[in-house]
Amino acid sequence: MPDLFIDGTWRSALDERTREIRCPADGSLVGVVDEAGGKDTVEAIAAARRAFDEGPWPTTPAADRGDLLLRVADLLLRDKDALARAESLDTGKRLVESEYDIDDIANCFRYFGRAAAAETGRVVETGTASVDSRVVYEPVGVCALITPWNYPLLQTAWKVAPALAAGNTFVLKPSELTPHTAIHLMRLLEEAGLPPGVANLVLGAGPEAGAPLGDHPDVDLVSFTGGLQTGRRLMAAAAGTVKKVALELGGKNPNIVFADADFETAVDLALTAVFLHSGQVCSSGARLLVEDSLHDRFVDELVRRASRIRLGGPFDERAQSGPLVSAAHRAKVEAYVAKGLAEGAVLRCGGARPSGPEFEAGFYYPPTVLDECSSDMSVVQDESFGPVLTVERFSGEAEAVRLANDTIYGLAGAVFTTDEAKAQRVAARLRLGTVWINDYHPYVPQAEWGGFKQSGFGRELGPSGLAEYREAKHIWRNTNPSPQGWFA
Ligand code: NAD
């Protein structure tokens, strides 16, 4: 069965190219999918344009759009096992993590389904009895939705659900490495009764399949999650036709541990912060800032536990962490660690590929801790997007804030302390889109997600997540018109 979904039809790429998808855990063949080129994407944009300009979806009552999203949430849960398995095979991620993701994804559809139904617009007081005035919300138009490989279906849901809730049509381009759950989602949207042309899927590499989404005049909005360099390129491409742009980019996220933190909790969550999904998380707490007086004890314990983390494939129930997504990504992480060591960081654990037959065919890299780092090192400033923790010392609140903010990024981070007032003071000074206090990583679809500074702009999730995909239109009605005579 072909894998590109354009104008309600499944078809192959125009030039019949395909791509093999292999599991990062063992290199086994997961599937062969169609690989779109630019011409396929231009056709998908045309279909989305027609469906927006002529189709029923943008003017479907918001409550009905909401109902469709609620149906999709049910279908996602019905197919949870198959979806989680497909996600794990594409990414190498542990099955249990993929299962959590599918629950989150269904929640996201449910949240935006309900938000769509609650969509009302508002009446505006004009002060004139014969005039009424209201603000209504309308969809932006054709949306280009471009997503990465680390949370393939979750990042897709964060865009598809609000885009549909607001009445847009879209072209989705998931990462070329992890296409299978996006294909499955399109089938569920079809099954739920979405009209043809509203949802379109192109699979393929960014520079070919993705590029037209950045500059095509028929695209009204680009919502992108991925790396900083690609985000900059898309923003520049979108400027030519003044598209609305939302960017969710990288992060080098500070995890601040004060000496008065609850030791057990802070160590445990410092490990989760950076080693969850092998560090391939945009909000990963890959930059530990630990108060000088606690440093030795804290880092010793962290290293002891990090060294024991068991690596394994997605279906190995004893595994605590999986492989990196590709050979190229592992090479990038290795180069990053080598650079850190050359800059003077002290290797405390990890730093070399694991040995053993079970790791040979996969892209494994162990939890790695680089101690005695300083914020002028590129290893501290750059995103490795792997299981690599840099450790810096600080002394006192002011230095913690200064170091944490000394980065071009501003996505997320955490503060661990038992002093509630200090936690609040520090949280208020951090230039981050999300600050966790005595916690790391949780999120809810009701609250906004997004970055300050070069971590991007625009918000996903929460009320502002829906607002990204809407235009506000003011309608002014004169119920008692009469000539004004200014130019009589
Ligand atoms: P990437 O930028 O390489 O690719 C992301 C997507 O963009 C892919 O679908 C890719 O094919 C596409 N793309 C690449 N070049 C393109 C072009 N010229 N035109 C159109 N599309 C193009 O990122 P990645 O390696 O897939 O993902 C990792 C990055 O994503 C990390 O930097 C991570 O921090 C970031 N991320 C951010 C968030 C967030 O919420 N802020 C969430 C997840 C991942």
Side-chain angles (χ1 to χ4, degrees):
M1 176 126 186
D3 308 300
L4 309 186
F5 188 54
I6 297 175
D7 211 7
T9 302
W10 291 94
R11 71 158 175 78
S12 304
L14 289 170
D15 64 5
E16 299 186 347
R17 277 194 308 156
T18 57
R19 174 188 291 263
E20 285 186 351
I21 306 298
R22 292 188 176 273
C23 180
D26 57 12
S28 59
L29 186 67
V30 180
V32 178
V33 297
D34 292 298
E35 172 93 351
K39 284 190 213 147
D40 299 286
T41 303
V42 169
E43 284 200 1
I45 294 169
R49 184 80 262 162
R50 270 194 310 279
F52 188 82
D53 293 342
E54 299 159 27
W57 187 248
T59 52
T60 296
D64 295 352
R65 295 199 299 256
D67 284 347
L68 185 135
L69 293 188
L70 297 177
R71 281 203 294 286
V72 174
D74 290 343
L75 294 173
L76 285 160
L77 292 179
R78 182 198 69 189
D79 290 0
K80 176 173 168 177
D81 291 350
L83 283 162
R85 211 184 138 71
E87 197 79 311
S88 281
L89 287 170
D90 276 4
T91 59
K93 149 183 333 197
R94 293 185 312 142
L95 183 64
V96 61
E97 291 180 37
S98 297
E99 287 168 350
Y100 286 137
D101 290 352
I102 307 303
D103 288 337
D104 277 359
I105 290 159
N107 272 339
C108 174
F109 272 88
R110 226 178 263 125
Y111 170 74
F112 283 110
R114 292 188 184 125
E119 178 91 335
T120 50
R122 65 184 202 275
V123 172
V124 178
E125 183 51 64
T126 63
T128 308
S130 59
V131 169
D132 62 42
S133 163
R134 66 202 159 96
V135 172
V136 295
Y137 296 115
E138 296 188 354
V140 173
V142 173
C143 301
L145 310 178
I146 306 173
T147 54
W149 46 259
N150 61 332
Y151 286 84
L153 193 58
L154 189 70
Q155 300 299 341
T156 297
W158 288 17
K159 298 184 191 308
V160 165
L164 289 179
N168 298 278
T169 64
F170 68 80
V171 178
L172 168 66
K173 200 212 78 66
S175 167
E176 56 275 30
L177 300 179
T178 54
H180 282 105
T181 49
I183 298 170
H184 196 133
L185 177 65
M186 292 299 119
R187 297 198 193 288
L188 298 186
L189 293 175
E190 235 188 329
E191 185 179 344
L194 194 68
V198 176
N200 301 276
L201 174 69
V202 291
L203 307 174
E208 289 94 40
L213 296 171
D215 60 10
H216 197 288
D218 279 340
V219 173
D220 300 296
L221 175 151
V222 181
S223 178
F224 169 77
T225 302
L228 177 58
Q229 299 308 333
T230 317
R232 286 182 179 146
R233 205 170 297 133
L234 277 167
M235 195 171 166
T241 47
V242 195
K243 300 184 195 320
K244 298 196 163 30
V245 178
L247 300 176
E248 297 291 345
L249 307 177
K252 189 62 197 266
N253 310 290
N255 181 16
I256 304 171
V257 179
F258 284 96
D260 63 6
D262 179 286
F263 186 82
E264 272 304 311
T265 306
V267 172
D268 181 75
L269 285 166
L271 292 161
T272 304
V274 62
F275 298 129
L276 179 76
H277 193 17
S278 302
Q280 301 170 116
V281 184
C282 53
S283 51
S284 156
R287 186 181 177 201
L288 178 67
L289 297 170
V290 58
E291 197 154 20
D292 210 5
S293 59
L294 181 67
H295 171 277
D296 294 359
R297 182 172 161 238
F298 193 87
V299 177
D300 285 351
E301 181 58 13
L302 187 100
V303 166
R304 192 181 69 78
R305 296 193 201 180
S307 315
R308 291 192 323 200
I309 291 175
R310 285 183 58 94
L311 299 180
F315 309 110
D316 175 351
E317 286 180 2
R318 292 180 313 156
Q320 295 169 293
S321 194
L324 298 179
V325 75
S326 65
H329 185 50
R330 179 170 63 177
K332 185 185 144 197
V333 172
E334 286 175 330
Y336 171 91
V337 170
K339 195 165 179 195
L341 296 176
E343 284 178 312
V346 176
L347 181 69
R348 294 291 305 272
C349 66
R353 294 180 190 185
S355 54
E358 69 274 37
F359 300 124
E360 259 161 34
F363 310 123
Y364 290 93
Y365 195 80
T368 297
V369 177
L370 299 177
D371 199 2
E372 307 299 352
C373 296
S374 56
S375 67
D376 56 354
M377 294 179 174
S378 63
V379 73
V380 168
Q381 295 293 337
D382 299 342
E383 187 188 40
S384 80
F385 219 52
V388 183
L389 181 68
T390 63
V391 185
E392 295 160 80
R393 301 164 185 260
F394 70 86
S395 180
E397 207 174 311
E399 190 178 23
V401 169
R402 185 177 59 72
L403 289 176
N405 284 334
D406 181 13
T407 159
I408 61 167
Y409 292 112
L411 187 58
V415 187
F416 285 84
T417 172
T418 48
D419 179 340
E420 181 57 27
K422 179 160 67 181
Q424 295 296 346
R425 281 194 304 272
V426 171
R429 299 287 302 279
L430 293 175
R431 305 291 297 151
L432 303 171
T434 296
V435 178
W436 291 288
I437 295 175
N438 296 325
D439 212 336
Y440 211 102
H441 279 318
Y443 81 95
V444 287
Q446 294 83 349
E448 276 75 0
W449 178 264
F452 286 21
K453 295 154 75 175
Q454 292 188 41
S455 287
F457 58 83
R459 288 292 177 268
E460 297 197 290
L461 305 178
S464 330
L466 184 57
E468 289 287 323
Y469 291 92
R470 303 187 313 206
E471 306 272 25
K473 179 189 276 180
H474 180 199
I475 300 177
W476 173 284
R477 182 172 67 135
N478 189 340
T479 61
N480 187 20
S482 59
Q484 293 185 335
W486 284 4
F487 300 109

